[in-house]
Amino acid sequence: LALFGPDFSSAGDRLIAIGVAWMIYYAKGPVSAVLDMTGRQFIDLANLAGVLLLSLSFGLWLIPRYGARGAGFAISISVFAWSLAEMIEGWVLFRFPPLNLDFLKSILLAGLVFGAGFLLQDHMPMAADAAAVGGLYVVLSFQFGLTRTDRDLLRRGIKKVAQILTR
């Protein structure tokens, strides 16, 4: 955040909280899209309305007390609750397992890489930190073992790069 100036440097804790909440949201899978594709848009709409109400309620409660930090945590709590609701809906409606080995591996990998990036941020230039964190992610991904989805994405990426290079 220092790239954008000193005013943005102080927003790190808020962005971390929001980033972790969104990581959890996307790690839980495509429940929202499946709800929409199976004619259950009203459930997705109810989820969005619930997130709006939670965000407003927590915002009204936390922002006066904690300012911008309260706003970040209000959004984080709302997104986390949304994730939890969709995990439950995915299990009840479609029998998507809420916690499987791939999900837990993704959370562990994200936590390790995030922790390394957090520890390195004050000890090296931003570009070197980004390269180190990216490299660590790749190495740990292979160390933990790629999932079927990871292998498919990797195969597609290699194919796309090969097509671009042969032009």
Side-chain angles (χ1 to χ4, degrees):
L1 291 174
L3 178 68
F4 299 108
D7 292 342
F8 286 85
S9 296
S10 63
D13 58 345
R14 293 171 283 290
L15 288 177
I16 288 169
I18 293 170
V20 167
W22 281 109
M23 245 182 4
I24 292 169
Y25 177 81
Y26 286 110
K28 56 97 186 122
V31 175
S32 181
V34 175
L35 286 170
D36 291 342
M37 290 187 287
T38 57
R40 294 179 172 98
Q41 298 91 341
F42 62 93
I43 296 174
D44 203 22
L45 179 62
N47 289 340
L48 292 171
V51 169
L52 174 65
L53 289 174
L54 274 176
S55 294
L56 288 173
S57 300
F58 279 113
L60 290 171
W61 179 46
L62 294 173
I63 292 171
R65 288 181 174 84
Y66 304 105
R69 181 173 287 150
F73 284 110
I75 296 297
S76 299
I77 292 166
S78 301
V79 171
F80 180 74
W82 186 11
S83 303
L84 188 61
E86 284 192 0
M87 286 174 86
I88 293 168
E89 292 161 0
W91 174 250
V92 170
L93 297 172
F94 308 110
R95 293 294 180 235
F96 292 159
L99 296 174
N100 60 27
L101 187 58
D102 290 340
F103 177 78
L104 295 175
K105 266 199 300 191
S106 296
I107 295 295
L108 178 63
L109 178 63
L112 289 172
V113 171
F114 173 78
F118 184 75
L119 292 173
L120 291 173
Q121 70 183 348
D122 294 331
H123 304 289
M124 55 182 24
M126 189 181 340
D129 186 24
V133 167
L136 180 63
Y137 179 79
V138 170
V139 167
L140 288 177
S141 292
F142 281 100
Q143 187 67 33
F144 279 117
L146 297 175
T147 65
R148 187 176 68 234
T149 304
D150 292 335
R151 287 189 297 274
D152 185 47
L153 287 172
L154 187 59
R155 188 173 33 257
R156 288 180 186 195
I158 290 170
K159 184 177 178 182
K160 189 65 129 174
V161 168
Q163 286 174 347
I164 291 169
L165 293 176
T166 57
R167 288 185 188 172

